Amino acid sequence: MRSARAPTAAQLATPPPPPSSTKGKFFGTTSIADSFRKQAAGSFGPEMSRKLSQLIKIEKSLERSLEGVSNERKMVAKQLSIWGADNDDDVSDVTDKIGVLLYEIGELEDQFIDKYDLYRITLKSVRNIEGSVQPSRDRKIKITDEIAHLKYKDPQSPKIAVLEQELVRAEAESLVAEAQLSNITREKLKAAFNYQFDSLRELSEKMALIAGYGKALLELLDDSPVTPGETRPAYDGYEASKQIIIDCENALSAWTLDNSYLKEPLLSIHQGIEDVYTVPEGIVEGEGEVVEGDDAEQEWAHHDDTVPVDHQVVA
């Protein structure tokens, strides 16, 4: 499925990101160095950015764990094919083809790590702006403390007026920095988790596709019992199994976020006309109601292809 493969529709719509920076490291996720890095991330650096720094380090460790899962998956696929080769023709063919599908899952997980890394890198930009805001906060606190100290020690000191002017400038700088932090935090947070959820959605739907074609392969196995000495009919599913793999490859290549199988969820909480989600039938825009019990089942009976998050609707 991987030899001389042309770019998929998803890759043409959204070019794949560069390989994750967490791949190919010598130390594993359980190494002492890795544990030290995660702990140190929350102990050093600007105080404002310590919590996010620790989150980013944990995410890096998670990516390395995912890489391990991807590699193990490929090893499982190869070993399944090796084991099946010594069995009857139908078992040998089906396990070989299932091994191809499992190996493809490992490849998809490997690609997922690269896309997931975009989420982690985007969070870094929030961490960096948090670190840049810390000095302005510290300066404002320091000047405020100096003014309070002088007013207690020498209320008539001419330095008080100078420091108060510096405090005004420091507060103005801090306001600009805080506003920038607020804006960037929201912008990057949405972008980061869009990367994560889109990559999760792609991986999940493609894995579901592979699972469906894998079950189709199982139908080629004749599992009817035979009596001792009875000969099982000759296996003639080679062309069918090959076509299943081709169909799976075509389905994976054609998949994009725009034509994905999962539709937008229908939320029971509706806030305004700008929402991207559909207003449930029977609910008036801007009004809320509580639906419980048997009435709730009737209310949602019209939505055959959706499942409400909650029966409670708030204005």
Side-chain angles (χ1 to χ4, degrees), residues 1 28 111 148 150 286:
M1 295 181 71
Q111 297 168 17
L150 280 176

Side-chain angles (χ1 to χ4, degrees), residues 88-293:
D88 294 338
D89 291 345
D90 55 348
V91 174
S92 176
D93 183 50
V94 170
T95 54
D96 184 63
K97 298 301 192 298
I98 290 178
V100 172
L101 296 183
L102 293 180
Y103 196 94
E104 181 66 16
I105 291 178
E107 289 285 296
L108 291 175
E109 289 170 331
D110 193 59
Q111 297 168 17
F112 169 75
I113 297 169
D114 297 335
K115 296 177 181 179
Y116 191 91
D117 199 48
L118 289 176
Y119 147 77
R120 190 179 66 88
I121 292 174
T122 305
L123 285 184
K124 281 186 175 182
S125 61
V126 181
R127 179 202 62 188
N128 294 340
I129 192 67
E130 282 184 344
S132 67
V133 170
Q134 186 71 56
S136 65
R137 283 190 179 183
D138 293 342
R139 181 167 177 262
K140 185 173 67 172
I141 293 173
K142 180 181 179 181
I143 296 173
T144 302
D145 290 343
E146 288 180 2
I147 292 174
H149 178 71
L150 280 176
K151 285 184 176 180
Y152 174 78
K153 185 179 180 181
D154 186 8
Q156 304 302 321
S157 173
K159 289 185 178 180
I160 295 178
V162 177
L163 288 173
E164 286 177 342
Q165 292 179 358
E166 289 186 12
L167 180 60
V168 170
R169 289 193 294 269
E171 288 177 340
E173 292 175 0
S174 180
L175 283 175
V176 173
E178 295 287 351
Q180 186 182 20
L181 173 61
S182 177
N183 294 336
I184 291 180
T185 297
R186 284 157 177 77
E187 175 192 349
K188 297 300 182 180
L189 186 64
K190 290 183 71 173
F193 277 97
N194 270 322
Y195 285 135
Q196 180 178 150
F197 292 144
D198 284 348
S199 59
L200 280 170
R201 187 169 173 179
E202 178 176 358
L203 177 64
S204 301
E205 292 202 21
K206 286 186 175 181
M207 289 178 73
L209 280 172
I210 291 175
Y213 286 102
K215 294 192 70 174
L217 284 171
L218 294 177
E219 295 299 320
L220 300 177
L221 279 176
D222 179 11
D223 59 348
S224 58
V226 295
T227 59
E230 181 183 358
T231 302
R232 194 178 294 276
Y235 177 66
D236 61 352
Y238 291 106
E239 288 301 320
S241 65
K242 180 180 178 180
Q243 189 60 47
I244 289 173
I245 295 297
I246 293 174
D247 291 343
C248 181
E249 180 179 10
N250 291 337
L252 293 175
S253 298
W255 186 95
T256 65
L257 277 173
D258 293 334
N259 65 5
S260 63
Y261 304 98
L262 180 66
K263 305 304 178 183
E264 297 291 353
L266 179 62
L267 299 184
S268 60
I269 299 176
H270 187 68
Q271 296 177 331
I273 197 64
E274 307 84 11
D275 286 358
V276 295
Y277 303 113
T278 307
V279 182
E281 183 178 346
I283 298 179
V284 179
E285 176 67 35
E287 296 182 2
E289 63 179 294
V290 177
V291 185
E292 298 178 349

